[in-house]
Amino acid sequence: MLSTIIPQKTVCVLLSLALIFSGCASTPRADREIPFTGNYLTYHQANINVASPRNKVLWQYRAAGTAIRRGEHALAKTFLDAALASAAAAYGQPNSDAAKARGLFKSEAGKPFYGEPYERVMANFYRALLYWADGEPDNARALLRTAALLDSGTVDKTYAADYILLDYLDGFITAKLSGSPDAGAGALARARASAALQHVPAPPDYDLKTNVHLFVEYGRAPIKYAAGQAGERLWFTVRKGPVRHVRLHVAGQTQAVPAYDDLGYQATTRGPRVMDHVLGNKVAFKENTGMGADAALAIPSLLATALANTEFGIGDVPAPYNPPPPARPPKPRNSHKPKHKDDHDDGSDIGAVLAPIAIGIGALVAIGIGASALSNATKTEADTRAWENLPRHLCYLPLSLPPGTHPVTLDFLDEDMQPVYLQKQTFTITVPATASSFAAGHADIIVFRSQLHD
């Protein structure tokens, strides 16, 4: 009988709230992804063409990483220039999708991807090497400094702008452009301080006769995943591969190629992001509305149970015994005699008592459904999209080689200094005899090698 007493308006309110709050949540529609057919560069390029604005930079990053490893420098520059231009245009500027991602009912993954700082640093780092290889060290230095700036926003300033190679190469280019090692002394000191903090070898003094710069990368980038009670924390799994050391054989000499920067270290030492605080507030809202919904829905259930077990008394107290009235003769078939005052229907009195209770129960149910809908619609998950074909370790070795063609062997070694199976690389370095306008020395030769194959 209780259900027949709840007003129709209450039912309409419940349905309206359910519809409104179910429409609050917004999960970004997945892009159509072109299947992988065996060629990573083709795969990345195809997905750039179909990607939405929120994922285009991500695919440009991936394509650039593959292109630079294959020696497709023109393609790598095209992808990096487009990605860096998009990231620079968005830096410090309001973006509607990014602003919406801070809202309670929008996912962080709905905003355009520009990467975590270590990813943006690598885009600038790769482009800097390409500028340097093209004989534009001043542009290379500008991007190295931009990368250092991107790494300066850490919570613990001990880890701010602590990439060893960014400072070291900045100082080297400054020293060589000026013709004096002292010009880069400040950058060299910063690089060595970061190396000491990270327990890696200190980079060497600047030698302006250096004409070959060997860059080697190995290992796999950290994996992002959503952690925390509601997936609101962006955490990283730092992967360990078989390679631990790199060794070079050239011009009759064998040298170690030190690993200076570790992207796993960089990803895990930044501390909480601004977005982590936003997501934390979303979690608090989700929990509070969820608890409110549980309470609001529990009370009507208890009341309904109590009323279902009550006839028309107070709780389970038995009603006093009233003997039945004396029997009356049957009424004539078509009699219009008004009812006796004792013949009234008790249902009207019951309805008068239960109607306010039913309305209150309906209101509580409405509140409970609304709070539950709000809680379920709140999007707390961290964005785990990633530039996954990045390396983990960045190695560097400056060389002074005479003009000519030099056969080179590069060994990737395990922790016992034994060669890792199928990881040996052989190639040549050609040093021209012509002079360059880059200071007074020979042109710098930039050599880039990767243990990754994509």
Side-chain angles (χ1 to χ4, degrees):
M1 181 173 62
L2 184 61
S3 61
T4 64
I5 300 175
I6 298 179
Q8 291 183 352
K9 288 184 179 180
T10 303
V11 176
C12 293
V13 168
L14 297 180
L15 294 175
S16 299
L17 286 171
L19 289 172
I20 290 172
F21 293 128
S22 65
C24 289
S26 176
T27 300
R29 186 176 63 181
D31 287 356
R32 181 173 69 92
E33 184 171 328
I34 304 299
F36 178 66
T37 58
N39 186 312
Y40 277 104
L41 189 55
T42 302
Y43 169 64
H44 296 323
Q45 287 178 289
N47 280 286
I48 289 173
N49 296 331
V50 300
S52 65
R54 53 181 287 270
N55 285 320
K56 190 170 289 290
V57 168
L58 173 59
W59 286 107
Q60 289 168 337
Y61 282 165
R62 292 169 176 172
T66 300
I68 195 172
R69 292 180 191 117
R70 295 188 179 188
E72 299 280 355
H73 292 175
L75 274 178
K77 286 185 280 188
T78 299
F79 298 138
L80 288 171
D81 286 343
L84 291 173
S86 297
Y91 187 73
Q93 299 296 322
N95 179 279
S96 59
D97 290 325
K100 289 177 182 177
R102 295 171 178 260
L104 290 171
F105 311 118
K106 302 294 182 181
S107 169
E108 184 190 2
K111 67 181 181 180
F113 178 91
Y114 300 116
E116 292 303 309
Y118 75 92
E119 292 165 312
R120 296 185 64 183
V121 163
M122 286 304 298
N124 282 271
F125 179 74
Y126 282 149
R127 191 62 182 94
L129 296 188
L130 294 172
Y131 269 124
W132 198 354
D134 287 341
E136 300 181 49
D138 49 347
N139 284 332
R141 181 177 59 179
L143 284 177
L144 293 171
R145 291 176 176 177
T146 299
L149 178 63
L150 291 170
D151 187 51
S152 62
T154 58
V155 174
D156 186 344
K157 293 306 177 184
T158 303
Y159 305 106
D162 61 345
Y163 280 82
I164 299 164
L165 287 180
L166 297 182
D167 282 326
Y168 183 80
L169 298 176
D170 177 356
F172 178 86
I173 293 173
T174 299
K176 198 161 187 182
L177 285 173
S178 67
S180 170
D182 293 339
L188 177 60
R190 292 194 300 273
R192 286 176 169 170
S194 295
L197 181 66
Q198 298 173 42
H199 306 290
V200 300
D205 291 336
Y206 295 138
D207 181 358
L208 301 189
K209 294 180 180 179
T210 297
N211 58 352
V212 176
H213 300 267
L214 174 65
F215 294 91
V216 181
E217 61 180 21
Y218 69 86
R220 289 287 181 180
I223 299 173
K224 298 178 183 178
Y225 68 97
Q229 183 176 354
E232 76 280 6
R233 298 178 184 176
L234 180 62
W235 284 7
F236 301 89
T237 297
V238 179
R239 293 183 278 185
K240 294 183 179 180
V243 177
R244 295 288 191 274
H245 309 278
V246 182
R247 185 170 59 198
L248 175 76
H249 305 272
V250 63
Q253 299 182 6
T254 299
Q255 300 186 58
V257 185
Y260 288 112
D261 286 309
D262 179 348
L263 295 189
Y265 174 88
Q266 293 296 334
T268 56
T269 56
R270 289 192 57 81
R273 309 172 300 156
V274 172
M275 196 64 192
D276 290 337
H277 295 289
V278 174
L279 294 176
N281 291 334
K282 289 187 182 185
V283 172
F285 178 84
K286 186 180 185 75
E287 291 177 346
N288 291 336
T289 52
M291 289 188 293
D294 292 341
L297 292 173
I299 294 173
S301 177
L302 294 174
L303 287 174
T305 301
L307 289 172
N309 295 324
T310 303
E311 293 184 1
F312 190 62
I314 301 176
D316 295 327
V317 178
Y321 174 75
N322 290 316
R328 293 189 181 94
K331 297 178 181 179
R333 179 179 297 272
N334 296 320
S335 174
H336 296 285
K337 182 181 178 181
K339 292 182 178 180
H340 189 272
K341 64 179 181 180
D342 294 331
D343 293 339
H344 67 274
D345 185 3
D346 289 344
S348 60
D349 291 338
I350 296 174
V353 173
L354 294 184
I357 298 176
I359 293 173
I361 290 176
L364 286 172
V365 171
I367 293 171
I369 291 178
S372 179
L374 282 173
S375 179
N376 292 333
T378 304
K379 298 298 181 182
T380 61
E381 297 81 6
D383 183 9
T384 57
R385 290 173 295 170
W387 184 358
E388 79 279 351
N389 63 335
L390 281 174
R392 176 180 171 186
H393 295 282
L394 304 177
C395 309
Y396 169 72
L397 181 66
L399 299 166
S400 297
L401 297 178
T405 298
H406 304 273
V408 179
T409 300
L410 197 64
D411 288 320
F412 292 93
L413 312 174
D414 62 19
E415 59 186 357
D416 296 323
M417 301 301 291
Q418 298 301 310
V420 176
Y421 182 63
L422 294 180
Q423 294 296 320
K424 182 187 293 290
Q425 297 184 11
T426 58
F427 54 97
T428 59
I429 297 176
T430 300
V431 179
T434 57
S436 167
S437 59
F438 181 26
H442 293 289
D444 282 312
I445 308 299
I446 307 301
V447 180
F448 179 84
R449 307 296 300 185
S450 178
Q451 181 238 347
L452 307 181
H453 302 283
D454 57 356

